[in-house]
Amino acid sequence: SQQGEEDPQALSIQEGENATMNCSYKTSINNLQWYRQNSGRGLVHLILIRSNEREKHSGRLRVTLDTSKKSSSLLITASRAADTASYFCATTGTASKLTFGTGTRLQVTL
Amino acid sequence: DGGITQSPKYLFRKEGQNVTLSCEQNLNHDAMYWYRQDPGQGLRLIYYSQIVNDFQKGDIAEGYSVSREKKESFPLTVTSAQKNPTAFYLCASSINFMNTEAFFGQGTRLTVV
């Protein structure tokens, strides 16, 4: 079963614009992570936010977590063509399994 | 270089044959995972191992088997019982099983004909 669902499934923006992706999950979590996947490659870890944190920044990335709504958002500011990829949220809950969402495909055009 | 290595990158097998996918890490990580990814889909957990000589079924373990005899190695066997084995398989490892980032290999694309 997939714990998280990303929204939107696909997003197309122009270079320089901001991209926002959302993740909703079903059960209590210990932390939530965001990963990036270039086509046909492995995943790369972007950022981890713990259940007692509400916001976290890393470079052009901003992640928020609302445990009352069981949701998280990933904001990429000033997007670049190189940001084109699929983005996944992943949660670790009481069962301690790392469970991934369905992903958002981001296309950044020049 | 430290990292996690999957081999081979592409694998073709005939229907009814078992096939083993290799995953090796030199990061000294305790936890290792196998995921399956179908086109345009998210990752689904097949098996995971918290520590050497221990492993647990994930969400879609039927038709798969694993072993964890060494800390650095977590091979996945796709058996003939797996009804739809053609997929992209990803191996990952993390320092431990709780609350830490996972490092992924580059994946093995298995095609069964």
Side-chain angles (χ1 to χ4, degrees):
Chain A
S1 62
Q2 308 238 211
Q3 160 77 310
E5 281 199 16
E6 280 89 339
D7 169 57
Q9 290 187 353
L11 180 61
S12 183
I13 59 173
Q14 290 194 317
E15 202 170 49
E17 293 181 336
N18 295 343
T20 299
M21 292 158 251
N22 303 295
C23 168
S24 60
Y25 56 91
K26 298 171 186 171
T27 60
S28 296
I29 61 170
N30 292 324
N31 67 63
L32 185 143
Q33 304 179 45
W34 284 90
Y35 288 80
R36 166 196 168 120
Q37 183 183 34
N38 287 81
S39 182
R41 307 296 296 273
L43 278 72
V44 175
H45 181 263
L46 295 176
I47 197 164
L48 181 152
I49 186 166
R50 303 196 187 282
S51 59
N52 61 354
E53 297 175 312
R54 292 296 167 257
E55 188 170 313
K56 206 159 183 180
H57 297 255
S58 176
R60 293 185 295 115
L61 306 180
R62 173 178 169 255
V63 168
T64 61
L65 179 63
D66 187 335
T67 53
S68 67
K69 295 181 179 177
K70 291 187 170 59
S71 68
S72 173
S73 67
L74 170 67
L75 169 68
I76 304 174
T77 60
S79 62
R80 305 165 181 168
D83 294 327
T84 295
S86 291
Y87 292 82
F88 295 90
C89 67
T91 55
T92 304
T94 52
S96 300
K97 296 187 298 183
L98 184 60
T99 306
F100 284 81
T102 51
T104 292
R105 291 185 302 281
L106 174 65
Q107 176 75 44
V108 181
T109 56
L110 296 172
Chain B
D1 279 337
I4 181 164
T5 303
Q6 289 185 243
S7 61
K9 190 169 182 178
Y10 299 97
L11 192 53
F12 296 87
R13 278 296 181 270
K14 290 185 178 179
E15 198 171 330
Q17 289 183 331
N18 291 356
V19 60
T20 297
L21 282 60
S22 170
C23 178
E24 303 276 332
Q25 53 99 357
N26 60 5
L27 300 167
N28 200 33
H29 286 173
D30 281 325
M32 297 187 75
Y33 317 81
W34 273 105
Y35 292 90
R36 169 184 173 137
Q37 187 177 32
D38 292 287
Q41 303 294 313
L43 279 67
R44 292 185 289 168
L45 183 63
I46 305 173
Y47 268 97
Y48 60 97
S49 169
Q50 297 184 52
I51 200 164
V52 65
N53 291 323
D54 176 74
F55 51 84
Q56 306 292 332
K57 291 182 179 180
D59 300 315
I60 56 165
E62 186 175 348
Y64 299 98
S65 66
V66 293
S67 63
R68 187 83 188 277
E69 297 175 0
K70 296 186 294 182
K71 188 175 186 178
E72 60 269 25
S73 179
F74 191 41
L76 173 75
T77 297
V78 184
T79 75
S80 56
Q82 168 51 232
K83 296 195 183 342
N84 186 18
T86 294
F88 189 50
Y89 290 88
L90 286 159
C91 179
S93 69
S94 61
I95 294 173
N96 56 44
F97 200 53
M98 294 284 290
N99 302 323
T100 57
E101 69 177 277
F103 291 78
F104 279 81
Q106 290 303 300
T108 292
R109 189 167 299 279
L110 173 64
T111 303
V112 176
V113 296

